[in-house]
Amino acid sequence: MTNALATVIIVVSLLAAAYSLWSAWRDRAMGVPHLVALGVLEVLLITQAVVGFVKLSGDEGPQSSATFVGYLLAILLIPPAGAGWGLLERSRYGPGVIVVACLAVAVMIVRMQQIWQGTNV
């Protein structure tokens, strides 16, 4: 797992969450900027998955690689699920769903870093 890429993912995820929170606070529905932010986040997560699988196929990786792979695959589902749910909810709660999805991505990336480094806290 690359720390620089993980940091970029966390920052993008928190920025998308902040923008979505601002939209929800202003009572706005989900729009194209939300989808763009989730698209960028998904591309970064796909890149992280490729890097993670390449490093796992080498000699690097955590001791509990099954848990790490589970996180690596599950995290890919969160932005599309959030986008779909956010589009279906045409009230202020659509961006609220995006807030939760982006915060979940940030927390999962931090947990993946802990697993990768062997810090099972």
Side-chain angles (χ1 to χ4, degrees):
M1 187 157 165
T2 306
N3 285 333
L5 183 57
T7 302
V8 169
I9 292 171
I10 291 169
V11 168
V12 168
S13 179
L14 293 177
L15 287 174
Y19 175 70
S20 296
L21 184 63
W22 175 253
S23 295
W25 185 71
R26 292 177 47 218
D27 201 17
R28 304 277 189 233
M30 184 178 155
V32 174
H34 297 99
L35 290 175
V36 169
L38 287 173
V40 168
L41 186 60
E42 184 70 15
V43 167
L44 290 170
L45 290 173
I46 290 170
T47 305
Q48 179 70 30
V50 170
V51 169
F53 281 120
V54 167
K55 286 190 173 193
L56 281 174
S57 67
D59 197 21
E60 298 180 56
Q63 289 181 352
S64 61
S65 60
T67 304
F68 182 78
V69 168
Y71 273 94
L72 203 58
L73 294 175
I75 200 169
L76 294 173
L77 302 175
I78 294 175
W85 192 355
L87 283 172
L88 289 174
E89 181 62 51
R90 298 308 302 164
S91 68
R92 68 188 294 179
Y93 299 109
V97 170
I98 304 304
V99 171
V100 173
C102 290
L103 291 178
V105 166
V107 168
M108 286 180 74
I109 289 292
V110 169
R111 182 64 185 134
M112 287 169 61
Q113 284 181 310
Q114 291 173 345
I115 293 170
W116 186 268
Q117 296 166 353
T119 315
N120 287 325
V121 185

